[in-house]
Amino acid sequence: MLEKKMLFVYNPKAGKAMIRNKLADILDVFTVADYAVTVVPTQKRGDATDIVAAKAEDYEIVVCSGGDGTLCEVVNGMIMSGADTSIGYIPAGSTNDFAGTLNIPNDMVRAAEMIVHGDRFSCDVGQFNDKKFIYVAAFGVFSEVSYSTDQQIKNALGHAAYILSGGKSIINAQAQNMRVISGDLSFEGEFIYGMVSNSNQVGGFQGIMGDGVDLHDGEFEVTLIKDPKSPQELNRIMVALLERNLDNEMMYSFKTSDIIFECDEEVPWALDGEDGGSHKRVHITTLNNAVNIIVDTERALLGDEE
């Protein structure tokens, strides 16, 4: 049997560097499946993008291991390469939001086994000015809370922990005055948080966008939270978030494939949990079915739990 060529790019520092204890078992899974594996550990931020951009077209599959930021780099590199090579993802970060959405096992060896037996799943990608993101672009108070709340607290208290932790920060949050344009929709307001997402898990909290998130429908979900001007308005925001009711007077919630944010001052953004830079103007569009990720298709589509 002819060997298939695999490029395996991994971040040795992701999470708690647990991949060091699993690397031999992961490579064994790939070797048994008749893959000739080229292994490349990243050394610094941006390495995965450069490696994949230069080499993707020479391989049948590119597998990455790390956090969502590593996957984001690989996606950027894949699109730059112009190749139609499938991507396998072995989650090894501290949050692994996108793996949770796709129901990719957190166990690294099981994730490797899923890659060799799985199917191609076409997935949308976000274009953020000149950068790409795989599942979320966000600004404001909750984007910081998402990644600073301890995962054990998230697991124990779930969605409520996220909201309650964020509520403590809302009081001192600096609102951003923004102009928002999306198709025929145009409005201006002061917002403490904004999120353009394509995931049912953000910051380690599942179901934050409710039901019905479709990863390849050509549209992303937008959520904007207004600046509360009174304790009553703050209470409405907290209740709405706890009940996952995004359709209320303190929020904007809609789907779009094209949106522009304009602000008089530079606003810091996070892309897939990593620093996305500060910008006065952000233009986000959806690249429909831009990459193919290997998943267990039924689990990814139906959202079955492990």
Side-chain angles (χ1 to χ4, degrees):
M1 183 180 294
L2 296 176
E3 289 185 329
K4 299 163 288 186
K5 295 176 64 178
M6 173 190 291
L7 177 63
F8 180 38
V9 180
Y10 74 95
N11 180 354
K13 298 179 181 179
K16 297 181 180 180
M18 291 296 291
I19 193 170
R20 295 179 183 178
N21 300 323
K22 299 290 186 178
L23 187 57
D25 292 334
I26 291 170
L27 294 178
D28 185 61
V29 170
F30 295 149
T31 302
V32 169
D34 202 40
Y35 280 101
V37 187
T38 300
V39 182
V40 184
T42 61
Q43 304 299 315
K44 62 184 183 302
R45 186 175 180 179
D47 270 1
T49 295
D50 294 339
I51 293 164
V52 174
K55 298 178 179 292
E57 64 181 0
D58 298 327
Y59 292 85
E60 280 81 13
I61 184 171
V62 172
V63 176
C64 68
S65 183
D68 292 321
T70 301
L71 176 63
C72 181
E73 287 193 14
V74 168
V75 166
N76 273 266
M78 187 63 70
I79 294 175
M80 289 170 61
S81 75
D84 188 36
T85 307
S86 297
I87 297 172
Y89 181 34
I90 299 176
S94 56
T95 306
N96 305 317
D97 282 325
F98 203 60
T101 295
L102 292 173
N103 274 299
I104 296 174
N106 284 322
D107 181 277
M108 295 181 189
V109 177
R110 285 184 59 204
E113 292 171 345
M114 189 207 69
I115 289 169
V116 300
H117 298 295
D119 307 298
R120 282 165 61 103
F121 179 86
S122 296
C123 185
D124 295 341
V125 171
Q127 178 79 47
F128 178 98
N129 290 347
D130 60 347
K131 300 178 181 179
K132 312 288 189 302
F133 65 95
I134 190 67
Y135 77 98
V136 66
F139 70 86
V141 58
F142 284 96
S143 58
E144 178 180 349
V145 170
S146 296
Y147 300 97
S148 62
T149 304
D150 185 86
Q151 186 63 47
Q152 289 186 338
I153 296 177
K154 297 174 188 177
N155 293 342
L157 300 181
H159 183 71
Y162 176 70
I163 304 307
L164 294 174
S165 297
K168 297 176 183 178
S169 303
I170 287 177
I171 298 172
N172 299 316
Q174 179 179 354
Q176 305 292 344
N177 185 62
M178 284 189 168
R179 295 172 292 280
V180 182
I181 305 166
S182 179
D184 295 332
L185 186 65
S186 178
F187 55 90
E188 184 172 352
E190 293 184 340
F191 303 103
I192 57 170
Y193 180 72
M195 174 172 69
V196 181
S197 67
N198 195 36
S199 174
N200 62 19
Q201 178 173 314
V202 176
F205 298 95
Q206 293 185 349
I208 195 165
M209 292 305 301
D211 299 326
V213 175
D214 188 330
L215 302 184
H216 55 190
D217 64 353
E219 293 186 310
F220 280 8
E221 283 70 32
V222 178
T223 300
L224 294 167
I225 301 178
K226 298 178 183 179
D227 183 29
K229 303 299 184 182
S230 67
Q232 291 79 13
E233 290 187 345
L234 174 59
N235 183 64
R236 290 193 199 107
I237 292 173
M238 298 296 289
V239 171
L241 291 172
L242 285 167
E243 294 179 349
R244 294 182 172 88
N245 174 25
L246 303 183
D247 183 19
N248 66 87
E249 71 276 11
M250 293 305 297
M251 299 182 197
Y252 289 95
S253 180
F254 55 93
K255 294 171 71 89
T256 188
S257 60
D258 192 311
I259 188 168
I260 295 171
F261 297 89
E262 295 179 336
C263 189
D264 293 334
E265 299 180 357
E266 290 193 338
V267 175
W269 285 75
L271 301 180
D272 295 339
E274 302 289 340
D275 182 13
S278 296
H279 309 271
K280 288 185 177 181
R281 186 180 190 274
V282 166
H283 185 192
I284 297 175
T285 58
T286 305
L287 306 178
N288 189 215
N289 294 332
V291 294
N292 294 293
I293 299 179
I294 301 297
V295 299
D296 180 331
T297 307
E298 290 188 1
R299 288 168 60 85
L301 291 174
L302 298 177
D304 295 335
E305 296 181 359
E306 289 189 39

